Amino acid sequence: MASSNNVAMHTASVESLAEVFRCFICMEKLRDARLCPHCSKLCCFPCIRRWLTDQRQQCPHCRASLRLHDLVNCRWAEEVTIQLDSLQVNEISKQKREEKDKCDLHREKLSVYCSTCSKCICHQCALFNGTVHSGHTFLQLDDVFQANIATVNDQINQLKRRHVELICLIQDVERNVESVKTAKDDRIRETRNVVHVMVARLEEQLKSKLDLLNGQRLQFSRETELIEHMLQDIEHKIKTSGKAELISKQQDLLQAIQLIHRKPMTSFVTTPIPNDFISEIVPQYDSSTYVINNFTILQHNIDPVYSQPLHLNGLTWRLKVYPDGNGTVRGTYLSVFLELTTGLSEPSKYEYRVEMIHQISKDPTKNIIREFASDFEVGECWGYNRFFRLEQLASEGFLDTENDTLILRFQVRPPTYYQKCRDQQWYTNHLENENHHLQNEIKILRDKLDLVSNRRRNPDSPDNHLHPVSDGSKHTGDSTVPAINNNCGDDTRRKPQIAPLEIEHVNRSGRMNDADGEQDETSTESDSSCPIESESLSSDDDDENDVDIENASGENDIDENGYDPNIHQLQNQMQIH
């Protein structure tokens, strides 16, 4: 009860203090407080201004004479008002908390914590309600509260530290964003500077080309002016001279004309100035021409025809043409596509151009050109299903009806030098890997060649007396080598003979050849030779994608000095590799 009385008294004192800091005109909270110098009462500036303006020039409280400039500006009153408001809010919240911290049964303040029931109770519940909390363990509520609030504060501090760390990370990200934007602006500035220099170079190239062309035009203009002047002079003499005078001047006129003809026309033939300007940003096109022979015959087939491959930085391109059209436009349009047969695994954008040559006039301006940029993957085709109408090929002059040929030119390039360098780097890595593979193959072949050569030179070596196996071969380490039979059925020791090694030919482009050639090596059989059983030697690292194995057959002689033509030929081939 005493605590409740103290709270009530404290609340009353706060409210009475708040009444002091209310405007005595509107009885509301002070706004832009002003003080009367006579009675020291506080009021709002808008209220007192309206009173002094509309009513009379005296204080509404003390009736003393008062003007606006006599009022005292109380800047501190606003801060006091804010503090009073916060005190009132705190008092209200405190009262609500105290209402919550009261026992529901006895309406007393909760002061005991029953650890057995995990419940907050009042002292009357702990002392006099024996049936409910009999034999339970009690703790001071304030101690339990302090322990719990300490745990909560510890977690709050950890959460605050986490919050600070996240703010630091956000600031780091913001700084990173600014650095990225700055780097982008730097690149843009550098690019603009470089482009400005490139444009200046192009302007210089244009100026030099135009100077040459203007010189040629000036030379031709002088010659034409000379001829025009002479023509006018001759025509004037013909019109104004009589017949006898014209006959007498005929020789002079002819000599003047011959003087002009004395300079041959070949002296006026000049080399055309090329209209190309080398770009330092965009690479030039690489092109290939595809001449389709027997075009009308190929129109009877639905299968496409392919051009010769164009190799560009390790990438392989070819033109895929449907002479009679593809799909729904068959028989109506010529269909032309560009296909990427070898390249990077990920899709990349390339610019391409397909041009159909006008064969009648040979005029490049009449050629049909289609150009576009697409994202290519290996084995993917991009092009034009409706490239040109078939019925207009001959009438428009694109199909040579005499030779039955159609000429297409395709061009392709990466859009930037950066992508071109990337393709070249990929191709370089591919060649290095392939070279490493070939070096391993050559090493294996040399080891086998050394083993066979040692066995030929030293047939009685202890290494040759190995246990035979069922297939007539000897196992030495990881390799299987042919067994040698030195007994040929007579008492004469014959020279051993080996079977030719299988030579593995590797396609440099990393793919199987379309046509596999076979190489047969034969030699004259010697009277002193004896055939033996053997197995062909092959590499342990066979790769079915990039290795063709060609079998060599035939009998080979070994002379008295241990010379084997097959081994010598194999050594030469390895040196070539």
Side-chain angles (χ1 to χ4, degrees):
M1 296 294 291
S3 61
S4 300
N5 293 331
N6 292 332
V7 171
M9 292 176 62
H10 182 68
T11 304
S13 62
V14 171
E15 290 180 355
S16 61
L17 185 61
E19 289 295 331
V20 174
F21 287 91
R22 290 182 183 275
C23 176
F24 67 89
I25 298 176
C26 64
M27 302 305 293
E28 296 291 339
K29 186 172 64 173
L30 289 171
R31 295 173 298 165
D32 194 6
R34 292 293 189 273
L35 177 70
C36 175
H38 303 288
C39 61
S40 300
K41 284 292 185 178
L42 293 171
C43 58
C44 301
F45 180 71
C47 297
I48 192 64
R49 182 179 58 185
R50 186 166 57 251
W51 171 267
L52 296 177
T53 303
D54 298 340
Q55 300 298 329
R56 58 180 66 88
Q57 303 234 337
Q58 63 181 10
C59 176
H61 184 264
C62 64
R63 304 300 178 178
S65 177
L66 184 66
R67 302 193 190 300
L68 280 176
H69 60 82
D70 295 333
L71 295 171
V72 180
N73 188 5
C74 299
R75 298 182 181 88
W76 51 268
E78 184 176 358
E79 297 180 0
V80 174
T81 305
I82 293 174
Q83 293 297 328
L84 288 174
D85 292 339
S86 64
L87 285 175
Q88 290 179 345
V89 171
N90 292 335
E91 288 298 327
I92 295 173
S93 62
K94 186 176 180 180
Q95 290 178 4
K96 290 181 179 179
R97 286 198 304 269
E98 290 179 351
E99 288 295 328
K100 292 180 181 178
D101 289 342
K102 287 185 178 181
C103 178
D104 297 334
L105 182 60
H106 303 98
R107 302 305 300 170
E108 294 288 340
K109 181 181 179 182
L110 300 176
S111 59
V112 181
Y113 178 78
C114 180
S115 60
T116 305
C117 301
S118 299
K119 185 178 179 182
C120 297
I121 59 177
C122 66
H123 65 283
Q124 292 189 14
C125 293
L127 294 175
F128 305 110
N129 196 356
T131 58
V132 179
H133 298 284
S134 177
H136 291 186
T137 303
F138 302 106
L139 298 173
Q140 288 291 333
L141 183 61
D142 293 337
D143 297 339
V144 177
F145 174 76
Q146 293 298 329
N148 283 272
I149 200 65
T151 304
V152 173
N153 288 333
D154 184 41
Q155 295 297 324
I156 290 175
N157 293 331
Q158 294 181 8
L159 190 60
K160 289 181 178 179
R161 286 195 296 269
R162 182 183 180 88
H163 181 256
V164 172
E165 292 177 357
L166 289 175
I167 290 177
C168 294
L169 292 176
I170 292 174
Q171 293 175 353
D172 292 340
V173 172
E174 293 294 335
R175 286 192 292 268
N176 196 359
V177 169
E178 292 299 326
S179 64
V180 169
K181 290 182 179 179
T182 303
K184 186 265 296 184
D185 295 336
D186 293 340
R187 297 293 84 75
I188 291 178
R189 184 175 62 256
E190 292 176 358
T191 304
R192 287 175 177 171
N193 294 336
V194 171
V195 170
H196 180 73
V197 174
M198 292 179 182
V199 170
R201 290 200 193 100
L202 290 176
E203 293 293 339
E204 292 178 359
Q205 295 179 17
L206 176 63
K207 183 177 180 302
S208 62
K209 292 176 183 292
L210 292 180
D211 289 343
L212 294 175
L213 292 174
N214 290 331
Q216 295 176 4
R217 182 171 58 186
L218 180 61
Q219 180 183 2
F220 298 152
S221 299
R222 289 175 179 175
E223 191 69 20
T224 53
E225 289 176 359
L226 178 62
I227 294 175
E228 290 173 357
H229 179 71
M230 181 169 290
L231 288 174
Q232 292 176 359
D233 188 28
I234 292 175
E235 290 175 356
H236 177 72
K237 289 182 180 180
I238 291 175
K239 290 179 181 179
T240 57
S241 301
K243 295 181 179 180
E245 185 181 2
L246 185 61
I247 291 173
S248 62
K249 293 181 179 180
Q250 176 187 3
Q251 196 66 27
D252 297 334
L253 296 177
L254 293 178
Q255 288 180 358
I257 294 174
Q258 289 298 327
L259 184 62
I260 294 178
H261 283 293
R262 187 174 300 173
K263 190 174 183 179
M265 287 298 298
T266 55
S267 61
F268 298 104
V269 177
T270 58
T271 303
I273 303 300
N275 58 357
D276 57 335
F277 291 86
I278 304 300
S279 174
E280 300 180 29
I281 299 178
V282 181
Q284 290 184 328
Y285 278 106
D286 290 273
S287 63
S288 179
T289 303
Y290 180 31
V291 180
I292 306 178
N293 298 314
N294 302 321
F295 181 78
T296 55
I297 298 175
L298 294 175
Q299 284 185 297
H300 296 88
N301 299 328
I302 62 173
D303 296 331
V305 293
Y306 298 92
S307 67
Q308 291 296 322
L310 172 63
H311 301 285
L312 176 62
N313 300 324
L315 282 69
T316 304
W317 304 87
R318 66 177 181 180
L319 208 60
K320 184 177 183 180
V321 182
Y322 289 88
D324 199 36
N326 177 41
T328 57
V329 299
R330 188 166 184 263
T332 307
Y333 284 90
L334 175 69
S335 301
V336 181
F337 301 93
L338 183 64
E339 181 181 9
L340 175 63
T341 58
T342 305
L344 282 74
S345 57
E346 67 272 9
S348 301
K349 184 179 291 293
Y350 293 92
E351 299 175 359
Y352 56 94
R353 177 187 297 172
V354 181
E355 182 178 4
M356 186 165 60
I357 307 301
H358 193 271
Q359 300 191 63
I360 300 301
S361 64
K362 306 298 181 181
D363 185 4
T365 59
K366 295 184 178 180
N367 295 345
I368 299 295
I369 300 176
R370 304 279 190 270
E371 55 183 340
F372 204 69
S374 303
D375 292 327
F376 281 88
E377 293 184 5
V378 176
E380 195 173 39
C381 299
W382 285 91
Y384 304 90
N385 222 23
R386 293 176 173 85
F387 187 79
F388 201 78
R389 297 190 68 90
L390 293 173
E391 60 186 17
Q392 298 178 357
L393 288 176
S395 60
E396 295 291 337
F398 296 101
L399 178 62
D400 187 355
T401 55
E402 295 182 0
N403 300 322
D404 196 14
T405 58
L406 185 72
I407 301 177
L408 295 173
R409 181 183 297 118
F410 65 97
Q411 300 173 332
V412 63
R413 69 179 179 187
T416 59
Y417 273 107
Y418 171 79
Q419 185 171 334
K420 184 175 182 179
C421 294
R422 186 204 63 177
D423 295 344
Q424 292 175 348
Q425 183 63 40
W426 169 82
Y427 186 46
T428 302
N429 295 334
H430 174 72
L431 292 178
E432 289 177 352
N433 294 333
E434 187 175 358
N435 182 53
H436 180 69
H437 176 72
L438 292 177
Q439 293 294 335
N440 292 336
E441 294 290 333
I442 292 173
K443 184 178 181 299
I444 294 172
L445 289 176
R446 282 178 177 173
D447 293 341
K448 293 179 180 180
L449 179 61
D450 293 340
L451 179 60
V452 175
S453 299
N454 292 332
R455 296 183 67 240
R456 299 287 83 75
R457 294 190 184 94
N458 302 314
D460 297 332
S461 175
D463 296 337
N464 295 331
H465 299 287
L466 302 176
H467 296 287
V469 292
S470 59
D471 58 354
S473 300
K474 296 179 181 181
H475 296 272
T476 59
D478 296 334
S479 301
T480 302
V481 297
I484 300 176
N485 184 10
N486 293 329
N487 298 324
C488 298
D490 52 7
D491 297 335
T492 306
R493 180 176 299 276
R494 301 182 183 272
K495 297 180 180 179
Q497 184 180 13
I498 65 170
L501 296 176
E502 291 182 354
I503 303 173
E504 298 173 354
H505 293 271
V506 182
N507 188 350
R508 290 291 182 179
S509 62
R511 300 185 304 276
M512 301 287 288
N513 290 332
D514 295 336
D516 297 335
E518 295 185 355
Q519 180 179 0
D520 294 334
E521 300 176 357
T522 59
S523 61
T524 305
E525 182 180 1
S526 174
D527 294 337
S528 60
S529 64
C530 178
I532 61 173
E533 297 179 357
S534 63
E535 283 187 351
S536 61
L537 304 178
S538 62
S539 171
D540 293 337
D541 301 329
D542 291 340
D543 190 351
E544 62 179 0
N545 294 323
D546 59 358
V547 177
D548 280 341
I549 300 178
E550 298 181 356
N551 296 326
S553 60
E555 298 175 352
N556 305 286
D557 293 339
I558 300 175
D559 60 7
E560 297 178 354
N561 296 324
Y563 177 81
D564 188 346
N566 284 329
I567 297 176
H568 182 68
Q569 185 177 2
L570 182 59
Q571 291 175 342
N572 292 335
Q573 290 180 357
M574 288 193 296
Q575 291 176 358
I576 293 175
H577 284 292

